[in-house]
Amino acid sequence: MTAEPTDRARTPLLTLITQESLDRDYQAAASRRGPEQQASRGLRAGVVVVVAAFALLVTIAAVQTQANSDVDDQSRSALISRIESRRTSVANLQEAAAQLRTDNLNAEGRLRDLGARYGDVQARGATLGALSGFEAVRGDGVRLTLDNSPLASSSDQIRASDLVLVVNALWQSGAEAVAINGQRVASTGAISTSGDAIEVNFRGIAPPYTILAIGDQGTLSSRFVDSGSALQFVAAANQFGFSWDMDNEDDLRLPAAPASLQRLRYATEKTNPKGDGGGPP
C-alpha cells in the first residue's frame, strides 16, 4: 500500500503521464466496448434473421418454381400432344382432300365422256327424227303445187293415191323431208282417203295441195321427172286435167309430225333373255 506512492514518486514524470494516459484510454475503450458489442450482436442477430427469412423465401420460391415447372411440363406435354393430334387430323384431311380431288377429276372425265356420248345420241336422234318426220327441219328444196281441173267431176279429182305417187317420186329423187299442206309425212303416218276427203296423218286436207320437199335442188327436179312414180302421176294428170308445177325454194321450213304418231299402237318391245336364240342379248 505504501510502496505504490513511493513507486509513483520514483517514476519519471513523462513515463507516468504516458502510463496513466494509456490506462485511461483502455478504460474508456473498455467502457465503450460493452454497448457497441451488444449493438453489434443485435445487428448480427438481425442479419441472421434477414438471411434466414431470405433463405426461407428462396426455398419457398424454389419449391413453387418446381411445382410450377411440373405444371408447365404437364401443360407443355398436353399442348404437344394436342398439336400432334391436330397434325395427324390435318394430314388425314389433306389425304382425304387429295383423294376427293382425284375422284373429282375422274368424275369430270366420266362426265365429259357421257357428255360426248349424249351429244352423239342427240345428234343421231335428231337425224333419225328428221328422217322419220318427228323433228322440225329447215333447208332448201322444191315446192310442188297440185290442183284439180276447174271442170273436174268428183271422180276426176286428185286422190290420195296420186299424192302417194308424188311423195314416192320425191323420196326416189333424194328428198329428205316432205310435207303436204303443213302435215309432215312421217314413217308411221299415212296418206289415206276418208270418204271423199284426203287425210295425212289422219288429218283432212283440201286442194290445192302444196307439197314441200327438202333436198338438193340440183337433183330433185331432174330426178323427179325421170322417176317411175312421177311418170305415173304425170300420165294421170294429163288424163284428168290436174295442174301441177315445181319451183325451187331456198328456205323451206317443215314442221314435225304429230307426237301422237310416235306412240306404238300394236307393236310392243320384247327383251329376249341371253342365249335363247331369239335375237341379240
Side-chain angles (χ1 to χ4, degrees):
M1 296 292 294
T2 57
E4 181 178 354
T6 303
D7 291 336
R8 183 179 176 84
R10 292 176 181 176
T11 302
L13 179 60
L14 181 59
T15 301
L16 181 61
I17 293 172
T18 303
Q19 288 178 352
E20 289 182 356
S21 177
L22 290 175
D23 290 339
R24 289 193 183 96
D25 290 336
Y26 285 136
Q27 290 178 0
S31 63
R32 288 196 304 269
R33 190 179 299 131
E36 289 178 358
Q37 286 180 353
Q38 291 178 358
S40 175
R41 290 176 183 174
L43 179 60
R44 280 182 295 189
V47 170
V48 170
V49 171
V50 171
V51 170
F54 180 75
L56 179 61
L57 291 176
V58 170
T59 302
I60 293 174
V63 172
Q64 186 65 36
T65 301
Q66 182 64 34
N68 293 337
S69 176
D70 294 338
V71 173
D72 291 341
D73 290 341
Q74 293 178 359
S75 300
R76 188 179 298 106
S77 298
L79 181 59
I80 292 173
S81 177
R82 290 175 60 186
I83 291 174
E84 294 298 330
S85 177
R86 293 294 187 272
R87 285 178 178 173
T88 303
S89 300
V90 169
N92 292 335
L93 290 174
Q94 289 176 339
E95 183 178 356
Q99 184 62 43
L100 288 174
R101 284 193 293 269
T102 302
D103 294 343
N104 188 45
L105 291 175
N106 295 333
E108 287 181 352
R110 291 194 299 270
L111 181 61
R112 285 192 296 270
D113 293 341
L114 289 175
R117 291 170 58 186
Y118 179 69
D120 294 341
V121 170
Q122 277 190 319
R124 294 202 327 253
T127 301
L128 292 175
L131 293 174
S132 61
F134 294 103
E135 287 287 340
V137 292
R138 178 180 182 180
D140 58 347
V142 296
R143 176 191 300 269
L144 281 84
T145 304
L146 287 66
D147 202 358
N148 296 314
S149 171
L151 302 176
S153 62
S154 60
S155 60
D156 296 335
Q157 294 181 357
I158 297 174
R159 300 178 180 179
S161 57
D162 299 321
L163 294 180
V164 170
L165 288 174
V166 174
V167 171
N168 286 341
L170 289 170
W171 291 130
Q172 294 167 7
S173 302
E176 297 177 354
V178 178
I180 305 175
N181 284 20
Q183 289 297 317
R184 182 74 172 274
V185 178
S187 58
T188 56
I191 303 173
S192 58
T193 301
S194 177
D196 294 332
I198 298 176
E199 292 183 346
V200 178
N201 299 333
F202 309 105
R203 296 185 181 182
I205 58 175
Y209 304 107
T210 301
I211 302 176
L212 304 178
I214 292 179
D216 186 359
Q217 293 177 348
T219 59
L220 273 177
S221 299
S222 59
R223 290 180 179 180
F224 178 81
V225 297
D226 293 334
S227 65
S229 297
L231 292 175
Q232 293 182 47
F233 170 74
V234 171
N238 293 334
Q239 179 180 355
F240 300 108
F242 306 152
S243 63
W244 69 278
D245 62 2
M246 177 183 289
D247 298 314
N248 289 333
E249 295 287 345
D250 295 331
D251 188 16
L252 294 176
R253 302 188 183 193
L254 277 61
S260 59
L261 296 178
Q262 299 184 57
R263 185 174 61 251
L264 297 175
R265 294 185 296 273
Y266 306 107
T268 56
E269 182 181 0
K270 179 180 180 182
T271 303
N272 295 317
K274 184 177 180 180
D276 66 350

